[in-house]
Amino acid sequence: GENVEQHPSTLSVQEGDSAVIKCTYSDSASNYFPWYKQELGKGPQLIIDIRSNVGEKKDQRIAVTLNKTAKHFSLHITETQPEDSAVYFCAASWGAQKLVFGQGTRLTINP
Amino acid sequence: DTGVSQDPRHKITKRGQNVTFRCDPISEHNRLYWYRQTLGQGPEFLTYFQNEAQLEKSRLLSDRFSAERPKGSFSTLEIQRTEQGDSAMYLCASSKADTQYFGPGTRLTVL
């Protein structure tokens, strides 16, 4: 079955700097790759997603890139702000099937 | 859309008791998913419904767990004879395509 690896497990950046989180997946059949932000005590909140027919997608300060050949995808957050501090999860699925999540990255933005 | 709702938000029970959780998906979402999340980990898939049909169950879902979605709208997840290892956040998500939207979760503590 699918396996998703996520790195780093913790990331600390200065406010205003960029943050990058990377994930690799094992199943070449996976075609949908969402990213979720989770704050303490809350459910995961979708922040951006990408499908396998696209190599890059951007939404304001957030961008995701996908390399199907290497089976990895990355989340890029620019101009980080204190409210970006949270745990971020990548995931992979085939169509509307179950999501397989990475282990999470705890992002801390230092003022 | 009012979002995915879950009830209760917190449940404390004694080992051996039965518990039931409810999930109300976003209206018109025909797919509903249950995940379990333990501290410091990503969500893990438990089971998935399309309308009222339960299409997939994880090996994590022992015979003490049962899920239903009788009319293709809300869903319930029951855990019988709870064990301390069942302590976790139980998350529900819904979708009408590949994008899954999560509820706030039910945190279960088994004493």
Side-chain angles (χ1 to χ4, degrees):
Chain A
E2 176 66 278
N3 183 54
V4 177
E5 297 286 334
Q6 182 173 346
H7 299 281
S9 56
T10 61
L11 180 60
S12 183
V13 302
Q14 289 298 119
E15 182 178 353
D17 288 350
S18 296
V20 180
I21 303 171
K22 299 182 178 183
C23 290
T24 59
Y25 61 99
S26 61
D27 189 349
S28 56
S30 291
N31 62 359
Y32 176 66
F33 307 92
W35 286 88
Y36 290 88
K37 175 183 180 182
Q38 189 173 29
E39 297 175 329
L40 195 62
K42 297 184 178 180
Q45 176 192 4
L46 179 74
I47 55 171
I48 195 166
D49 57 11
I50 191 167
R51 294 172 179 82
S52 59
N53 60 343
V54 175
E56 184 173 358
K57 184 177 179 181
K58 188 174 182 181
D59 182 5
Q60 299 182 349
R61 297 186 298 109
I62 296 173
V64 57
T65 58
L66 171 65
N67 183 327
K68 287 187 295 182
T69 303
K71 289 191 280 190
H72 66 70
F73 56 113
S74 300
L75 176 72
H76 304 252
I77 306 175
T78 59
E79 301 172 14
T80 53
Q81 301 168 2
E83 52 265 36
D84 294 329
S85 294
V87 179
Y88 290 80
F89 291 98
C90 62
S93 74
W94 177 77
Q97 306 300 313
K98 65 186 177 187
L99 291 171
V100 177
F101 284 83
Q103 298 87 344
T105 296
R106 181 173 299 279
L107 176 64
T108 302
I109 309 300
N110 301 307
Chain B
D1 288 336
T2 57
V4 178
S5 61
Q6 293 187 244
D7 185 71
R9 295 292 309 279
H10 303 275
K11 178 70 177 178
I12 299 174
T13 191
K14 293 182 179 179
R15 188 175 51 186
Q17 298 295 303
N18 299 343
V19 294
T20 300
F21 309 141
R22 176 178 170 128
C23 171
D24 286 88
I26 294 170
S27 59
E28 299 180 358
H29 279 193
N30 62 340
R31 297 182 177 92
L32 187 148
Y33 310 78
W34 286 98
Y35 293 83
R36 181 171 70 186
Q37 186 178 28
T38 53
L39 206 60
Q41 302 295 316
E44 294 177 294
F45 171 77
L46 292 178
T47 190
Y48 147 58
F49 292 85
Q50 181 165 313
N51 299 313
E52 63 274 9
Q54 190 172 17
L55 296 187
E56 187 176 353
K57 292 195 292 186
S58 163
R59 284 171 293 181
L60 291 175
L61 213 66
S62 76
D63 54 9
R64 295 186 298 106
F65 288 69
S66 62
E68 294 182 342
R69 194 183 184 199
K71 297 182 179 179
S73 56
F74 73 92
S75 175
T76 57
L77 178 68
E78 181 183 17
I79 308 174
Q80 296 182 327
R81 306 181 303 280
T82 52
E83 302 172 355
Q84 287 185 325
D86 297 331
S87 294
M89 174 81 90
Y90 289 84
L91 293 163
C92 175
S94 71
S95 76
K96 58 182 178 181
D98 50 14
T99 303
Q100 295 183 28
Y101 297 92
F102 282 81
T106 294
R107 178 158 303 280
L108 173 66
T109 302
V110 182
L111 302 176

